[in-house]
Amino acid sequence: MKEIRWHGRGGQGAKTVSQILAQINLREGKFVQAFPEFGPERSGAPVRAYNRISDEEILVHSGVYEPDIAVVIDETLLDSERPTEGLKPDGVLLVNTACSPEEIRARTKFPGRIVTVDADRIARETGTGFPNIPMLGAVVAVLGTDYALAEAELREALGGRLSQDLLAKNLQAFRAGYEAAKEVTVGRA
Amino acid sequence: MRKAITGHKAVAEAMRQIEPDVVAVYPITPQSEIAEYYAEYVHNGLVRTELIPVESEHSALSACVGAAAAGGRVITATSSQGLALLVEVLYIAAGLRLPIVMALANRALSAPINIHCDHSDAYLARDSGAIQIFAESAQEAYDYMLMAQRIAEDMRVRLPVVVNLDGFTLTHTVQPVDLLDDAVAKAFVGEYKPYAPLLDVEHPVTWGAFAMTDYYFELKRAQQAGMEAAPAVFLEVQREFAKIAGRPYAGFFEAYKLADAEYVLVVLGSTAGTAKVAVDTLRARGMRVGLLKPWLWRPFPAQEVAAALAHAKVVAVLDRALSFGTMGALFEDVAAALYPLEKRPILVNYIYGLGGRDTTVPDLIRVFEELPHVARTEWALRYIGLRE
């Protein structure tokens, strides 16, 4: 079983992408859970969301404390939210930042694999305005999920909510996040 | 079809397939999304339900009582304080033998105010006369919503049914749910044949009549007969559902690795899933442990629970609510069930998870590991994950 912890701020869409990820994983035949941290929901406040992905039925209904992957959607949470806490030493830290993985390593002292994606820049350039979708693309890349399958599910998940134009921009942002995560990575220290 | 959806959505989908005549509901965390999804279905024309937005939960269930007496099929949903506010009317629904189905997204009662899960709301309605079912997963919540309709409406029963699902843990968690085809679900639930509907003006009747020392007692005895008939109806409906849905429901409770277990947990709701992982972990280490997870809590299937637990050495009953001044309600149910046996397991009562306190696999492994050291049945509470 793989466990993922998302760190974002209220309004950035951490919960949304965790739920879409669950739908993607379900489509590839996995058992899934996705749940937000159940605190007060305020715009801009730190929020967490979680995923469990498994080949077997997931029975456990408690929190996630030792994730395999920590995803930081908002770089300003790197210090205050301690995203590496409990993160498995051989896990993956995935950060939305313009910094290099080496710089993030120096900042966090995390010994495992570090992947950096400038999701804010992708959000600006594609015109979506939200960093969550590029980070979802990055997670899909880190998990090694089939890209076409993931994109098809994303298209379905967003199709009903967005205009054709905004959907196309989001799919572009998703691809850019996916591609970036494949490139900008450092292995274990 | 398998979908990754929340417990809210699973319950709303069951409601969509049931398509009741009336849904009257008032929002409260963590139930609100059930009502929101259903309102969307109504406004998108997917169902022909009369959706009544009301000013409180007391009004919600009052509207349900009126609609049910008028001859409608009726569903509502609530949580916590909402349950507390409507419980007065829940007693009336049961006393009038109205087959209202209610999803209860379990949440702790105030004070202190809290939005997270425990079972104090369900326990508050324990003696209301409503049948109460607990779900471990969104799948079970969906399945039992469909079954609840049939159980409630059976003429041998005619009682409200509460389907409990843990707030947030189930309501807000996306998880796989196998939904029946609409046609299959609708055929299973069937068409509702109202009993003595008020709207049948050719045959006028009185609902909610006065009964003093002359008849009150007899009517309450008749209500108890409805409750006594419920277990057999529950099994009939469950058997039929298991067949059409292809799911392994069989009995009032799930017995997980229980047959040869020496040390056993009894627990309601989603924590039963976590307990299964603890059972598997300890079984791998050679400890004979097992789990009994009641689906049906009211009426309590005492004889069957006693038979299933009789062989155990120590049974830990876990309650997710305090019944202040005495032991946990589920513990007392199990203790009473075991009393007639000549040879009984030792019993111990743990209180856990109040106000959403997380209960983990290691927590439950620690409980199991304490059980061999429990020498006699204790009339004293133990607590899981409490700072003292």
Side-chain angles (χ1 to χ4, degrees), chain A residues 13-66:
Chain A
K15 178 182 151 190
T16 301
V17 284
S18 74
Q19 293 189 342
I20 295 172
L21 180 65
Q23 289 166 3
I24 290 169
N25 299 140
L26 184 84
R27 188 180 271 230
E28 58 174 346
K30 306 281 190 189
F31 290 91
V32 297
Q33 278 181 2
F35 52 99
E37 187 151 274
F38 314 127
E41 292 161 17
R42 291 159 301 160
S43 197
V47 295
R48 295 178 179 202
Y50 305 89
N51 284 77
R52 286 194 172 101
I53 308 161
S54 175
D55 293 325
E56 279 144 40
E57 188 181 357
I58 302 171
L59 296 168
V60 67
H61 281 293
S62 58
V64 169
Y65 299 98
E66 293 174 352

Side-chain angles (χ1 to χ4, degrees), chain B residues 17 142 146 179-190 241 244-245:
Chain B
Q17 293 175 326
Y142 167 80
L146 295 175
L179 301 174
L180 298 181
D181 289 341
D182 285 359
V184 174
K186 282 178 188 298
F188 171 77
V189 173
F241 185 86
I244 63 151

